[in-house]
Amino acid sequence: MSRYENAKEIYAAYGVDTDEAIKKLCAMSVSMHCWQGDDVAGFEHEDSKLTGGGIMVTGNHPGRARNIKELWADLDKAFSVIPGNHRVALQAFYGDYGGKFVDRNEIEPCHFQSWIDWTAERGLKLDFNSTFFSHPKSGNYTLSSADKGIRDFWIEHAKRVRRITSYVGEAQGSPSSHNLWIHDGEKEVPIDRLGPRMRLKESLDEIFSEKLPSIKDAMEQKLFGIGSEAYVVGSNEFYFGYAAHNNLMVCFDTGHFHPTESVSDKISPALLFTKGVLLHVSRPIRWDSDHVTVMDDHVKRLMKELVRTNSLDRVDICTDFFDGTINRVGAWVVGMRSILKALLLAFLEPVELLRKYENEGRNFERLAMQEETKSLPYAAVWERFCEINNVPAGSQWVDEIAAYGDKIAAERG
Ligand code: RNT
Ligand code: ZN
């Protein structure tokens, strides 16, 4: 009997069909963020860099993608060892500008045509993020600025990104998600905390007033950032309220909360009061450090919650981390494979059995069974899933990606 056949039998005793779990996992699409490949620099200038926005990339491991061709090559390499069919999430400054400077309030769908073609050839899909950081007009405040000129500039930016998003959504025959995150805030508590929020609300009202056919709009909250430790305009309460009131999606970044808070606890209320959820799966270490996602308890709990609430059709999963200290392609693969593994664990949970215990008030059995399932042979099921998707099941991919990392490090200097 193969390892898989053996695992299948063991799971069956808990009422879990492993073939079914694999089928569900094959149907999952995770949106992989492109910005791990170039340290969140973008392609606006010859040598763009991440500046401001309260976020930071640490590390200068050689081999960063410096242009669209290099980024594509790196994405291809990463996807070659990531099982399944996925999406790519872009920031607005990753357009193909043909060597010309195109400002954020000037971008058009044509600047993303080569991305559309590139993804179409590979069966991938695209998602978008408006980009408010790394720009001379993004100081402490953007959409919530007291300066109307600044506000209008960024409103125009977001409107354009939404049009691009919907255009791409139609072109790829799958609605594209548009996520809006701004870094607006301050180091110290301002006397007027309401004013910026009123202005942000007005800016959003204008941005979302345009109805578009193929877009899923989400907004991303944050607790604090570098230089915005005391006050963030776009807080969780702000966007939860806005999304609930306007029937939009709310984006939860797993790095944007107090360390003891868990995003898995926020899914069910969001399902009741908002259009749906976009997840930025990251890994905070003591703060919003954007470490590479691994299969830790937070991620496992989160994926289980999505399966238990049967909400995968209303939740989009995206990665969001930036580590410049290691092989960047490898970082993508680690993050994506760990999310997929956590999803598999969630699909393999004996939910029916646990629900039955719960309904009967048998809380001891419910607890004990959850502990027992932790040592079931899920790895054998993961291996089968990888085989079906023609990617290495075990650690064989590590040497291959390490060699690729060394190669681009040498070539790119
Ligand atoms: C920042 C947010 C945001 C960014 C990207 C680059 O804290 O998480 O999603 O990571 O827009
Ligand atoms: Zn994020």
Side-chain angles (χ1 to χ4, degrees):
M1 195 191 281
S2 73
R3 269 158 70 79
Y4 178 69
E5 293 305 323
N6 186 245
K8 189 177 153 95
E9 243 180 58
I10 295 171
Y11 275 104
Y14 288 79
V16 174
D17 181 340
T18 52
D19 291 340
E20 225 11 74
I22 290 176
K23 221 195 256 163
K24 286 180 186 158
L25 192 57
C26 286
M28 290 300 304
S29 255
V30 175
S31 196
M32 187 169 93
H33 66 307
C34 78
W35 51 94
Q36 162 62 32
D38 75 329
D39 298 349
V40 208
F43 301 143
E44 279 171 334
H45 306 282
E46 188 77 42
D47 53 354
S48 293
K49 264 192 204 73
L50 171 66
T51 55
I55 53 175
M56 191 169 66
V57 181
T58 48
N60 52 3
H61 188 84
R64 180 181 92 76
R66 296 161 301 180
N67 54 53
I68 205 163
K69 294 247 158 61
E70 290 180 353
L71 190 60
W72 284 342
D74 294 354
L75 286 165
D76 270 335
K77 191 68 199 177
F79 280 123
S80 75
V81 292
I82 296 169
N85 250 337
H86 301 288
R87 307 174 70 98
V88 178
L90 301 183
Q91 295 283 336
F93 62 21
Y94 284 95
D96 195 346
Y97 308 115
K100 283 198 308 270
F101 174 66
V102 181
D103 209 348
R104 306 271 172 97
N105 62 344
E106 295 167 349
I107 51 172
E108 313 240 12
C110 64
H111 299 122
F112 293 88
Q113 190 56 50
S114 62
W115 273 107
I116 297 175
D117 299 340
W118 183 83
T119 43
E121 277 163 25
R122 288 155 177 79
L124 299 164
K125 306 274 188 272
L126 289 170
D127 292 309
F128 284 87
N129 291 256
S130 288
T131 309
F132 297 86
F133 51 88
S134 294
H135 190 280
K137 287 199 168 64
S138 57
N140 275 340
Y141 292 96
T142 61
L143 289 178
S144 70
S145 172
D147 179 334
K148 184 165 187 307
I150 298 282
R151 255 177 9 246
D152 287 347
F153 177 87
W154 291 113
I155 289 171
E156 180 62 22
H157 170 67
K159 283 185 164 177
R160 282 172 181 261
V161 179
R162 287 188 72 243
R163 285 182 209 134
I164 292 167
T165 306
S166 182
Y167 175 88
V168 170
E170 287 203 293
Q172 68 191 11
S174 162
S176 187
S177 75
H178 166 246
N179 180 46
L180 183 147
W181 170 72
I182 57 168
H183 55 268
D184 297 30
E186 286 198 35
K187 191 179 176 77
E188 300 288 353
V189 178
I191 306 307
D192 181 13
R193 283 191 277 188
L194 179 59
R197 289 190 169 130
M198 284 167 64
R199 291 192 289 272
L200 175 56
K201 179 182 174 298
E202 272 170 28
S203 295
L204 295 178
D205 288 347
E206 192 175 334
I207 289 166
F208 294 122
S209 65
E210 187 171 353
K211 298 296 159 223
L212 292 163
S214 202
I215 186 169
K216 302 203 260 182
D217 281 298
M219 293 152 297
E220 180 178 2
Q221 81 325 111
K222 192 159 173 165
L223 180 64
F224 76 95
I226 304 165
S228 59
E229 289 83 357
Y231 175 59
V232 168
V233 183
S235 60
N236 188 38
E237 293 73 11
F238 179 94
Y239 286 129
F240 203 98
Y242 194 90
H245 195 73
N246 296 284
N247 196 31
L248 298 169
M249 291 170 83
V250 67
C251 169
F252 294 126
D253 184 307
T254 56
H256 290 187
F257 296 91
H258 286 287
T260 56
E261 266 184 282
S262 178
V263 171
S264 59
D265 297 329
K266 303 176 192 299
I267 301 296
S268 51
L271 291 173
L272 287 174
F273 300 114
T274 70
K275 180 135 195 186
V277 175
L278 178 72
L279 292 170
H280 268 191
V281 189
S282 181
R283 177 167 50 113
I285 302 259
R286 305 187 195 283
W287 67 293
D288 176 31
S289 58
D290 293 290
H291 279 63
V292 181
T293 306
V294 296
M295 195 176 70
D296 60 11
D297 284 348
H298 279 290
V299 174
K300 284 192 274 192
R301 252 186 265 153
L302 182 54
M303 298 310 151
K304 274 188 188 159
E305 185 64 6
L306 303 185
V307 173
R308 289 175 183 179
T309 52
N310 197 18
S311 61
L312 285 164
D313 55 336
R314 286 180 59 204
V315 179
D316 292 326
I317 306 171
C318 183
T319 49
D320 181 14
F321 46 80
F322 16 104
D323 188 339
T325 67
I326 56 171
N327 180 327
R328 292 175 185 79
V329 178
W332 267 325
V333 181
V334 168
M336 289 290 283
R337 285 177 69 112
S338 54
I339 290 176
L340 291 166
K341 275 188 193 164
L343 272 166
L344 177 61
L345 271 181
F347 289 134
L348 290 172
E349 188 177 52
V351 190
E352 292 318 316
L353 182 64
L354 296 171
R355 233 188 269 290
K356 180 171 162 284
Y357 287 142
E358 182 162 287
N359 292 339
E360 292 167 357
R362 294 155 74 120
N363 291 354
F364 152 69
E365 289 92 327
R366 183 184 64 182
L367 178 66
M369 273 308 180
Q370 286 183 86
E371 282 307 289
E372 281 307 310
T373 58
K374 287 180 182 169
S375 49
L376 295 185
Y378 89 96
V381 187
W382 169 256
E383 283 160 19
R384 173 56 61 94
F385 169 68
C386 288
E387 273 162 33
I388 291 173
N389 285 284
N390 284 316
V391 306
S395 54
Q396 308 91 313
W397 68 269
V398 178
D399 284 345
E400 187 186 329
I401 296 296
Y404 180 81
D406 292 345
K407 181 175 107 46
I408 58 173
E411 282 167 9
R412 298 174 192 173

